[in-house]
Amino acid sequence: MSRKPKLYYFNGRGKMESIRWLLAAAGVEFEEEFLETREQYEKLLQGGSLLFQQVPMVEIDGMKMVQTRAILSYIAGKYNLYGKDLKERALIDMYVGGTDDLMGFIMMFPFLSAEDKEKQRAVIVQKATSRYFPAYEKVLKDHGQDFLVGNNFSWADVHLLEAILMVEEKKSDVLSGFPQLQAFKARISSIPTIKKFLEPGSQRKPVPDDKYVETVRRVLRMYYDVKAN
């Protein structure tokens, strides 16, 4: 019996959250080791576990994988969430890439000053509603299918739902002008593995708080202020 994947990261979202989402969507149970001290991080470094001296790191199938995109691609391929052929994989990569761009505006939000947070909130909503959500709305409308690629549940769907929920945390009615995405959100959220992950008590992490920010700064020795995009 193979071991459960083991995730090494902070007890919070960051770059690991999309990995949690994808494993959960695939119905895969996983373990987590939370980094809380600089000593834990240095132990991983000294042990050679972090190829590029950074987390996330995931132990899976006898490998110690780093680089978020590589980890996600491996999980998607392993659990049949990466399309049926090269063309579908290219579309999934394209849609995931766009969603990543949107998430990039949100990822560092917790580390901003109060003033910069208000500015960044407006940027996030503007980018979502003028660039990214219209693109996905058009994709869903044009092909008239339930999912983004090949009418099969894929990594692209998981990633987009994660992004939608992240933006809704900044503006709850952000989907008001996007009926296709509203229906998409309802469909994907009702998939049993996703529904389970969205329930209280799952390994999904909450909105990052001050404790998470302080832990990341201490472990990574982030002594500088992050600037808004």
Side-chain angles (χ1 to χ4, degrees):
M1 183 176 179
S2 61
R3 295 175 55 189
K4 295 178 183 177
K6 187 170 183 179
L7 284 50
Y8 294 79
Y9 201 67
F10 308 99
N11 188 10
R13 291 183 182 175
K15 291 188 175 183
M16 185 65 87
E17 190 70 354
S18 292
I19 297 169
R20 298 184 186 107
W21 266 90
L22 196 57
L23 285 168
V28 178
E29 294 183 355
F30 56 88
E31 300 174 348
E32 300 190 76
E33 181 171 318
F34 299 126
L35 300 181
E36 298 177 343
T37 66
R38 179 70 186 182
E39 288 71 27
Q40 284 177 286
Y41 182 62
E42 289 181 347
K43 184 177 179 180
L44 290 175
L45 289 172
Q46 292 163 7
S49 296
L50 306 181
L51 182 62
F52 300 111
Q53 302 179 27
Q54 60 192 22
V55 288
M57 191 267 281
V58 174
E59 286 186 337
I60 184 170
D61 294 342
M63 299 182 290
K64 293 183 177 179
M65 294 195 70
V66 294
Q67 292 296 324
T68 308
R69 188 60 180 262
I71 297 166
L72 288 166
S73 296
Y74 182 81
I75 294 167
K78 179 178 174 68
Y79 295 106
N80 300 315
L81 294 169
Y82 212 174
K84 69 178 186 297
D85 55 31
L86 191 60
K87 182 177 179 179
E88 287 192 357
R89 181 167 292 194
L91 289 172
I92 290 169
D93 283 338
M94 184 172 70
Y95 296 148
V96 166
T99 309
D100 270 341
D101 291 345
L102 175 57
M103 287 181 172
F105 292 102
I106 305 171
M107 192 72 65
M108 297 308 294
F109 185 86
F111 298 89
L112 300 174
S113 67
E115 180 181 357
D116 280 344
K117 280 182 179 178
E118 289 310 306
K119 295 177 182 176
Q120 189 71 350
R121 190 187 310 275
V123 169
I124 291 166
V125 173
Q126 190 273 329
K127 295 291 186 182
T129 56
S130 68
R131 180 183 299 180
Y132 299 101
F133 288 174
Y136 296 116
E137 182 82 0
K138 185 177 188 300
V139 170
L140 291 166
K141 184 176 181 179
D142 285 353
H143 66 38
Q145 298 174 339
D146 289 343
F147 305 104
L148 286 171
V149 178
N151 206 27
N152 286 304
F153 182 48
S154 77
W155 172 21
D157 302 305
V158 180
H159 216 49
L160 179 54
L161 177 62
E162 181 189 0
I164 287 171
L165 297 181
M166 289 170 72
V167 178
E168 285 187 329
E169 289 169 351
K170 303 294 180 276
K171 189 176 188 295
S172 61
D173 65 346
V174 73
L175 289 186
S176 59
F178 301 98
Q180 296 291 334
L181 286 179
Q182 290 176 39
F184 172 87
K185 174 190 168 185
R187 281 195 304 274
I188 305 304
S189 297
S190 68
I191 291 172
T193 54
I194 297 292
K195 184 177 180 180
K196 181 179 179 182
F197 190 60
L198 292 173
E199 292 173 349
S202 79
Q203 288 170 286
R204 183 187 179 209
K205 300 300 181 269
V207 176
D209 58 13
D210 290 342
K211 181 180 179 181
Y212 167 77
V213 170
E214 192 278 329
T215 300
V216 174
R217 286 186 180 277
R218 182 179 66 251
V219 173
L220 298 184
R221 294 179 175 169
M222 292 173 58
Y223 302 126
Y224 55 88
D225 290 330
V226 175
K227 299 299 182 182
N229 286 306

Short mmCIF file of all heavy atoms in Angstrom, two decimals, residues 51-103:
data_model
loop_
_atom_site.label_atom_id
_atom_site.label_comp_id
_atom_site.label_asym_id
_atom_site.label_seq_id
_atom_site.Cartn_x
_atom_site.Cartn_y
_atom_site.Cartn_z
N LEU A 51 15.20 21.28 -3.38
CA LEU A 51 16.14 21.41 -4.50
C LEU A 51 16.51 22.85 -4.78
O LEU A 51 17.68 23.17 -5.02
CB LEU A 51 15.55 20.76 -5.75
CG LEU A 51 16.42 20.75 -7.00
CD1 LEU A 51 17.70 19.95 -6.75
CD2 LEU A 51 15.65 20.17 -8.18
N PHE A 52 15.52 23.73 -4.77
CA PHE A 52 15.77 25.14 -5.06
C PHE A 52 15.65 26.01 -3.81
O PHE A 52 15.38 27.21 -3.90
CB PHE A 52 14.83 25.64 -6.16
CG PHE A 52 14.99 24.88 -7.45
CD1 PHE A 52 13.98 24.04 -7.91
CD2 PHE A 52 16.15 24.98 -8.19
CE1 PHE A 52 14.13 23.33 -9.09
CE2 PHE A 52 16.31 24.27 -9.38
CZ PHE A 52 15.29 23.44 -9.83
N GLN A 53 15.78 25.37 -2.65
CA GLN A 53 15.79 26.06 -1.35
C GLN A 53 14.49 26.81 -1.07
O GLN A 53 14.50 27.91 -0.51
CB GLN A 53 16.99 27.02 -1.28
CG GLN A 53 18.32 26.32 -1.48
CD GLN A 53 19.50 27.26 -1.43
OE1 GLN A 53 19.45 28.30 -0.79
NE2 GLN A 53 20.58 26.91 -2.13
N GLN A 54 13.37 26.19 -1.47
CA GLN A 54 12.08 26.84 -1.22
C GLN A 54 10.98 25.80 -1.12
O GLN A 54 11.11 24.68 -1.60
CB GLN A 54 11.76 27.83 -2.34
CG GLN A 54 11.67 27.19 -3.72
CD GLN A 54 11.65 28.21 -4.85
OE1 GLN A 54 12.10 29.33 -4.68
NE2 GLN A 54 11.15 27.80 -6.00
N VAL A 55 9.92 26.18 -0.44
CA VAL A 55 8.70 25.37 -0.36
C VAL A 55 7.65 26.03 -1.25
O VAL A 55 7.80 27.21 -1.58
CB VAL A 55 8.21 25.26 1.11
CG1 VAL A 55 9.14 24.37 1.90
CG2 VAL A 55 8.10 26.64 1.78
N PRO A 56 6.60 25.28 -1.64
CA PRO A 56 6.13 23.98 -1.17
C PRO A 56 7.05 22.83 -1.58
O PRO A 56 7.75 22.89 -2.58
CB PRO A 56 4.77 23.83 -1.85
CG PRO A 56 4.43 25.12 -2.46
CD PRO A 56 5.69 25.85 -2.65
N MET A 57 6.95 21.76 -0.74
CA MET A 57 7.59 20.50 -1.08
C MET A 57 6.59 19.40 -0.76
O MET A 57 5.91 19.44 0.26
CB MET A 57 8.88 20.30 -0.29
CG MET A 57 9.71 19.12 -0.80
SD MET A 57 9.38 17.56 0.05
CE MET A 57 10.32 17.80 1.57
N VAL A 58 6.50 18.43 -1.67
CA VAL A 58 5.56 17.32 -1.50
C VAL A 58 6.31 16.01 -1.70
O VAL A 58 6.97 15.82 -2.72
CB VAL A 58 4.39 17.41 -2.51
CG1 VAL A 58 3.49 16.17 -2.40
CG2 VAL A 58 3.58 18.67 -2.27
N GLU A 59 6.19 15.13 -0.74
CA GLU A 59 6.69 13.77 -0.88
C GLU A 59 5.58 12.92 -1.48
O GLU A 59 4.50 12.78 -0.88
CB GLU A 59 7.10 13.20 0.49
CG GLU A 59 8.39 13.77 1.04
CD GLU A 59 8.84 13.09 2.31
OE1 GLU A 59 7.98 12.49 3.02
OE2 GLU A 59 10.04 13.16 2.61
N ILE A 60 5.83 12.36 -2.66
CA ILE A 60 4.82 11.56 -3.33
C ILE A 60 5.50 10.55 -4.23
O ILE A 60 6.46 10.87 -4.95
CB ILE A 60 3.86 12.47 -4.15
CG1 ILE A 60 2.74 11.67 -4.78
CG2 ILE A 60 4.62 13.31 -5.17
CD1 ILE A 60 1.63 12.54 -5.40
N ASP A 61 5.06 9.30 -4.15
CA ASP A 61 5.58 8.23 -5.01
C ASP A 61 7.10 8.14 -4.96
O ASP A 61 7.76 7.94 -5.99
CB ASP A 61 5.11 8.43 -6.46
CG ASP A 61 3.60 8.28 -6.59
OD1 ASP A 61 2.97 7.71 -5.67
OD2 ASP A 61 3.04 8.75 -7.59
N GLY A 62 7.67 8.29 -3.78
CA GLY A 62 9.11 8.16 -3.61
C GLY A 62 9.91 9.37 -4.04
O GLY A 62 11.15 9.33 -4.01
N MET A 63 9.23 10.44 -4.43
CA MET A 63 9.92 11.67 -4.84
C MET A 63 9.71 12.77 -3.81
O MET A 63 8.70 12.80 -3.11
CB MET A 63 9.38 12.16 -6.19
CG MET A 63 9.57 11.21 -7.33
SD MET A 63 8.96 11.90 -8.90
CE MET A 63 7.19 11.89 -8.61
N LYS A 64 10.66 13.68 -3.76
CA LYS A 64 10.49 14.91 -3.00
C LYS A 64 10.38 16.04 -4.02
O LYS A 64 11.39 16.53 -4.53
CB LYS A 64 11.67 15.14 -2.05
CG LYS A 64 11.73 14.11 -0.93
CD LYS A 64 12.86 14.39 0.05
CE LYS A 64 12.85 13.38 1.20
NZ LYS A 64 13.96 13.63 2.16
N MET A 65 9.15 16.39 -4.34
CA MET A 65 8.91 17.33 -5.43
C MET A 65 8.80 18.77 -4.92
O MET A 65 8.15 19.04 -3.91
CB MET A 65 7.61 16.98 -6.17
CG MET A 65 7.65 15.67 -6.92
SD MET A 65 6.27 15.53 -8.10
CE MET A 65 6.78 16.75 -9.34
N VAL A 66 9.46 19.67 -5.64
CA VAL A 66 9.31 21.10 -5.43
C VAL A 66 8.87 21.73 -6.75
O VAL A 66 8.75 21.04 -7.75
CB VAL A 66 10.62 21.75 -4.92
CG1 VAL A 66 10.96 21.22 -3.53
CG2 VAL A 66 11.78 21.48 -5.88
N GLN A 67 8.63 23.03 -6.72
CA GLN A 67 8.09 23.78 -7.84
C GLN A 67 6.60 23.47 -8.00
O GLN A 67 6.21 22.37 -8.45
CB GLN A 67 8.83 23.54 -9.15
CG GLN A 67 10.25 24.08 -9.15
CD GLN A 67 10.30 25.60 -9.04
OE1 GLN A 67 9.46 26.31 -9.56
NE2 GLN A 67 11.30 26.10 -8.32
N THR A 68 5.78 24.43 -7.61
CA THR A 68 4.34 24.23 -7.52
C THR A 68 3.73 23.70 -8.81
O THR A 68 2.92 22.77 -8.80
CB THR A 68 3.65 25.57 -7.14
OG1 THR A 68 4.28 26.08 -5.97
CG2 THR A 68 2.17 25.35 -6.87
N ARG A 69 4.12 24.28 -9.93
CA ARG A 69 3.53 23.88 -11.21
C ARG A 69 3.87 22.42 -11.54
O ARG A 69 3.03 21.67 -12.04
CB ARG A 69 3.99 24.81 -12.32
CG ARG A 69 3.30 24.61 -13.67
CD ARG A 69 1.80 24.83 -13.54
NE ARG A 69 1.13 24.64 -14.80
CZ ARG A 69 0.77 25.62 -15.64
NH1 ARG A 69 1.02 26.87 -15.31
NH2 ARG A 69 0.15 25.37 -16.76
N ALA A 70 5.09 22.00 -11.26
CA ALA A 70 5.49 20.62 -11.52
C ALA A 70 4.69 19.66 -10.64
O ALA A 70 4.24 18.60 -11.11
CB ALA A 70 6.99 20.45 -11.25
N ILE A 71 4.50 20.02 -9.39
CA ILE A 71 3.73 19.18 -8.47
C ILE A 71 2.29 19.04 -8.95
O ILE A 71 1.73 17.95 -9.01
CB ILE A 71 3.76 19.77 -7.04
CG1 ILE A 71 5.19 19.79 -6.48
CG2 ILE A 71 2.84 18.99 -6.11
CD1 ILE A 71 5.36 20.64 -5.24
N LEU A 72 1.69 20.16 -9.32
CA LEU A 72 0.31 20.16 -9.79
C LEU A 72 0.17 19.35 -11.08
O LEU A 72 -0.80 18.59 -11.24
CB LEU A 72 -0.18 21.59 -10.00
CG LEU A 72 -0.44 22.40 -8.72
CD1 LEU A 72 -0.58 23.89 -9.05
CD2 LEU A 72 -1.70 21.90 -8.01
N SER A 73 1.10 19.52 -11.99
CA SER A 73 1.04 18.77 -13.26
C SER A 73 1.13 17.26 -13.00
O SER A 73 0.41 16.47 -13.63
CB SER A 73 2.19 19.20 -14.18
OG SER A 73 2.06 20.54 -14.57
N TYR A 74 1.98 16.87 -12.09
CA TYR A 74 2.13 15.45 -11.77
C TYR A 74 0.85 14.89 -11.18
O TYR A 74 0.38 13.82 -11.59
CB TYR A 74 3.30 15.26 -10.80
CG TYR A 74 3.55 13.80 -10.46
CD1 TYR A 74 4.26 12.99 -11.33
CD2 TYR A 74 3.06 13.26 -9.28
CE1 TYR A 74 4.47 11.64 -11.03
CE2 TYR A 74 3.27 11.91 -8.97
CZ TYR A 74 3.98 11.11 -9.85
OH TYR A 74 4.18 9.78 -9.56
N ILE A 75 0.27 15.61 -10.22
CA ILE A 75 -0.97 15.16 -9.59
C ILE A 75 -2.09 15.07 -10.62
O ILE A 75 -2.85 14.10 -10.66
CB ILE A 75 -1.35 16.09 -8.42
CG1 ILE A 75 -0.32 15.99 -7.30
CG2 ILE A 75 -2.75 15.75 -7.89
CD1 ILE A 75 -0.44 17.08 -6.25
N ALA A 76 -2.20 16.10 -11.46
CA ALA A 76 -3.26 16.11 -12.48
C ALA A 76 -3.12 14.93 -13.42
O ALA A 76 -4.10 14.27 -13.77
CB ALA A 76 -3.23 17.43 -13.24
N GLY A 77 -1.89 14.64 -13.85
CA GLY A 77 -1.66 13.51 -14.75
C GLY A 77 -1.91 12.18 -14.08
O GLY A 77 -2.52 11.28 -14.67
N LYS A 78 -1.47 12.04 -12.85
CA LYS A 78 -1.60 10.78 -12.12
C LYS A 78 -3.06 10.41 -11.87
O LYS A 78 -3.43 9.24 -11.93
CB LYS A 78 -0.86 10.90 -10.78
CG LYS A 78 -0.92 9.66 -9.90
CD LYS A 78 -0.12 9.86 -8.63
CE LYS A 78 -0.28 8.69 -7.65
NZ LYS A 78 0.35 7.45 -8.16
N TYR A 79 -3.89 11.43 -11.63
CA TYR A 79 -5.28 11.15 -11.25
C TYR A 79 -6.30 11.54 -12.35
O TYR A 79 -7.45 11.83 -12.05
CB TYR A 79 -5.60 11.86 -9.93
CG TYR A 79 -4.76 11.30 -8.79
CD1 TYR A 79 -3.70 12.03 -8.27
CD2 TYR A 79 -5.01 10.03 -8.28
CE1 TYR A 79 -2.92 11.52 -7.25
CE2 TYR A 79 -4.24 9.51 -7.27
CZ TYR A 79 -3.19 10.25 -6.75
OH TYR A 79 -2.41 9.73 -5.75
N ASN A 80 -5.83 11.51 -13.60
CA ASN A 80 -6.71 11.68 -14.75
C ASN A 80 -7.48 13.00 -14.73
O ASN A 80 -8.67 13.05 -15.07
CB ASN A 80 -7.70 10.50 -14.85
CG ASN A 80 -6.99 9.17 -15.01
OD1 ASN A 80 -6.06 9.05 -15.82
ND2 ASN A 80 -7.40 8.18 -14.24
N LEU A 81 -6.79 14.05 -14.35
CA LEU A 81 -7.39 15.39 -14.36
C LEU A 81 -6.65 16.31 -15.33
O LEU A 81 -6.69 17.52 -15.20
CB LEU A 81 -7.34 15.99 -12.93
CG LEU A 81 -8.20 15.27 -11.89
CD1 LEU A 81 -7.86 15.77 -10.49
CD2 LEU A 81 -9.68 15.47 -12.18
N TYR A 82 -6.00 15.68 -16.34
CA TYR A 82 -5.14 16.45 -17.24
C TYR A 82 -5.49 16.22 -18.71
O TYR A 82 -4.64 16.31 -19.59
CB TYR A 82 -3.68 16.08 -16.98
CG TYR A 82 -2.67 17.19 -17.20
CD1 TYR A 82 -1.33 16.99 -16.87
CD2 TYR A 82 -3.03 18.43 -17.75
CE1 TYR A 82 -0.38 17.98 -17.06
CE2 TYR A 82 -2.08 19.42 -17.95
CZ TYR A 82 -0.76 19.20 -17.61
OH TYR A 82 0.17 20.19 -17.81
N GLY A 83 -6.77 15.93 -19.00
CA GLY A 83 -7.20 15.78 -20.38
C GLY A 83 -6.86 14.43 -20.96
O GLY A 83 -6.09 13.66 -20.40
N LYS A 84 -7.43 14.15 -22.13
CA LYS A 84 -7.25 12.84 -22.76
C LYS A 84 -6.18 12.84 -23.84
O LYS A 84 -5.76 11.79 -24.31
CB LYS A 84 -8.57 12.34 -23.36
CG LYS A 84 -9.08 13.11 -24.56
CD LYS A 84 -10.37 12.51 -25.11
CE LYS A 84 -10.81 13.17 -26.40
NZ LYS A 84 -11.13 14.59 -26.25
N ASP A 85 -5.74 14.03 -24.28
CA ASP A 85 -4.72 14.09 -25.33
C ASP A 85 -3.94 15.39 -25.20
O ASP A 85 -4.19 16.22 -24.31
CB ASP A 85 -5.35 13.97 -26.72
CG ASP A 85 -6.44 15.01 -26.98
OD1 ASP A 85 -6.35 16.14 -26.43
OD2 ASP A 85 -7.39 14.70 -27.73
N LEU A 86 -2.98 15.57 -26.09
CA LEU A 86 -2.07 16.71 -26.02
C LEU A 86 -2.82 18.04 -26.17
O LEU A 86 -2.49 19.03 -25.52
CB LEU A 86 -1.00 16.58 -27.10
CG LEU A 86 0.19 17.55 -27.02
CD1 LEU A 86 0.93 17.38 -25.70
CD2 LEU A 86 1.14 17.31 -28.19
N LYS A 87 -3.83 18.07 -27.05
CA LYS A 87 -4.58 19.29 -27.26
C LYS A 87 -5.34 19.70 -26.00
O LYS A 87 -5.33 20.88 -25.61
CB LYS A 87 -5.56 19.10 -28.42
CG LYS A 87 -6.36 20.36 -28.75
CD LYS A 87 -7.26 20.14 -29.96
CE LYS A 87 -8.07 21.40 -30.27
NZ LYS A 87 -8.94 21.20 -31.46
N GLU A 88 -5.99 18.72 -25.37
CA GLU A 88 -6.71 19.05 -24.14
C GLU A 88 -5.76 19.48 -23.04
O GLU A 88 -6.06 20.39 -22.26
CB GLU A 88 -7.56 17.85 -23.69
CG GLU A 88 -8.78 17.61 -24.58
CD GLU A 88 -9.77 16.63 -23.97
OE1 GLU A 88 -9.49 16.08 -22.88
OE2 GLU A 88 -10.82 16.41 -24.60
N ARG A 89 -4.60 18.85 -22.98
CA ARG A 89 -3.61 19.25 -21.98
C ARG A 89 -3.14 20.68 -22.22
O ARG A 89 -2.95 21.45 -21.27
CB ARG A 89 -2.41 18.29 -22.01
CG ARG A 89 -1.35 18.59 -20.98
CD ARG A 89 -0.36 17.45 -20.83
NE ARG A 89 -1.01 16.29 -20.23
CZ ARG A 89 -0.33 15.26 -19.73
NH1 ARG A 89 1.00 15.24 -19.76
NH2 ARG A 89 -0.97 14.23 -19.21
N ALA A 90 -2.97 21.05 -23.48
CA ALA A 90 -2.56 22.42 -23.80
C ALA A 90 -3.62 23.42 -23.36
O ALA A 90 -3.31 24.50 -22.82
CB ALA A 90 -2.30 22.55 -25.29
N LEU A 91 -4.89 23.09 -23.59
CA LEU A 91 -5.98 23.97 -23.15
C LEU A 91 -6.01 24.09 -21.63
O LEU A 91 -6.19 25.18 -21.08
CB LEU A 91 -7.31 23.47 -23.68
CG LEU A 91 -7.56 23.60 -25.18
CD1 LEU A 91 -8.85 22.88 -25.57
CD2 LEU A 91 -7.63 25.07 -25.59
N ILE A 92 -5.84 22.96 -20.95
CA ILE A 92 -5.82 22.99 -19.49
C ILE A 92 -4.68 23.86 -19.00
O ILE A 92 -4.85 24.69 -18.10
CB ILE A 92 -5.72 21.55 -18.93
CG1 ILE A 92 -7.03 20.80 -19.17
CG2 ILE A 92 -5.38 21.57 -17.43
CD1 ILE A 92 -6.95 19.31 -18.91
N ASP A 93 -3.49 23.69 -19.59
CA ASP A 93 -2.34 24.53 -19.21
C ASP A 93 -2.64 26.01 -19.44
O ASP A 93 -2.27 26.86 -18.62
CB ASP A 93 -1.11 24.13 -20.03
CG ASP A 93 -0.46 22.85 -19.54
OD1 ASP A 93 -0.68 22.49 -18.36
OD2 ASP A 93 0.28 22.22 -20.32
N MET A 94 -3.30 26.31 -20.54
CA MET A 94 -3.62 27.70 -20.87
C MET A 94 -4.58 28.30 -19.84
O MET A 94 -4.36 29.41 -19.34
CB MET A 94 -4.22 27.78 -22.27
CG MET A 94 -4.51 29.20 -22.75
SD MET A 94 -4.98 29.23 -24.50
CE MET A 94 -6.60 28.44 -24.43
N TYR A 95 -5.63 27.56 -19.53
CA TYR A 95 -6.62 28.07 -18.58
C TYR A 95 -6.04 28.16 -17.17
O TYR A 95 -6.28 29.13 -16.45
CB TYR A 95 -7.87 27.18 -18.57
CG TYR A 95 -8.62 27.17 -19.89
CD1 TYR A 95 -9.30 26.03 -20.31
CD2 TYR A 95 -8.61 28.28 -20.72
CE1 TYR A 95 -9.98 26.01 -21.52
CE2 TYR A 95 -9.28 28.26 -21.94
CZ TYR A 95 -9.96 27.13 -22.33
OH TYR A 95 -10.63 27.11 -23.53
N VAL A 96 -5.25 27.16 -16.78
CA VAL A 96 -4.61 27.21 -15.47
C VAL A 96 -3.64 28.39 -15.39
O VAL A 96 -3.55 29.07 -14.37
CB VAL A 96 -3.88 25.88 -15.17
CG1 VAL A 96 -2.94 26.02 -13.98
CG2 VAL A 96 -4.90 24.77 -14.89
N GLY A 97 -2.94 28.63 -16.48
CA GLY A 97 -2.01 29.77 -16.51
C GLY A 97 -2.72 31.09 -16.30
O GLY A 97 -2.25 31.96 -15.56
N GLY A 98 -3.88 31.25 -16.95
CA GLY A 98 -4.65 32.47 -16.76
C GLY A 98 -5.13 32.62 -15.33
O GLY A 98 -5.06 33.70 -14.73
N THR A 99 -5.60 31.50 -14.77
CA THR A 99 -6.07 31.54 -13.39
C THR A 99 -4.93 31.84 -12.44
O THR A 99 -5.09 32.57 -11.45
CB THR A 99 -6.72 30.19 -13.01
OG1 THR A 99 -7.69 29.84 -14.00
CG2 THR A 99 -7.42 30.28 -11.67
N ASP A 100 -3.74 31.29 -12.73
CA ASP A 100 -2.56 31.60 -11.92
C ASP A 100 -2.26 33.09 -11.92
O ASP A 100 -1.87 33.66 -10.89
CB ASP A 100 -1.34 30.85 -12.46
CG ASP A 100 -1.17 29.48 -11.83
OD1 ASP A 100 -1.74 29.23 -10.76
OD2 ASP A 100 -0.45 28.65 -12.43
N ASP A 101 -2.39 33.71 -13.09
CA ASP A 101 -2.14 35.15 -13.18
C ASP A 101 -3.07 35.92 -12.25
O ASP A 101 -2.65 36.85 -11.55
CB ASP A 101 -2.33 35.64 -14.62
CG ASP A 101 -1.24 35.13 -15.56
OD1 ASP A 101 -0.20 34.65 -15.06
OD2 ASP A 101 -1.44 35.20 -16.78
N LEU A 102 -4.34 35.53 -12.24
CA LEU A 102 -5.31 36.19 -11.35
C LEU A 102 -4.95 35.92 -9.89
O LEU A 102 -4.97 36.83 -9.06
CB LEU A 102 -6.72 35.69 -11.66
CG LEU A 102 -7.83 36.18 -10.73
CD1 LEU A 102 -7.89 37.70 -10.69
CD2 LEU A 102 -9.18 35.60 -11.16
N MET A 103 -4.63 34.68 -9.58
CA MET A 103 -4.27 34.35 -8.20
C MET A 103 -3.04 35.12 -7.73
O MET A 103 -2.89 35.41 -6.54
CB MET A 103 -4.01 32.85 -8.07
CG MET A 103 -5.26 32.00 -8.11
SD MET A 103 -4.81 30.25 -7.90
CE MET A 103 -6.43 29.49 -7.75
#
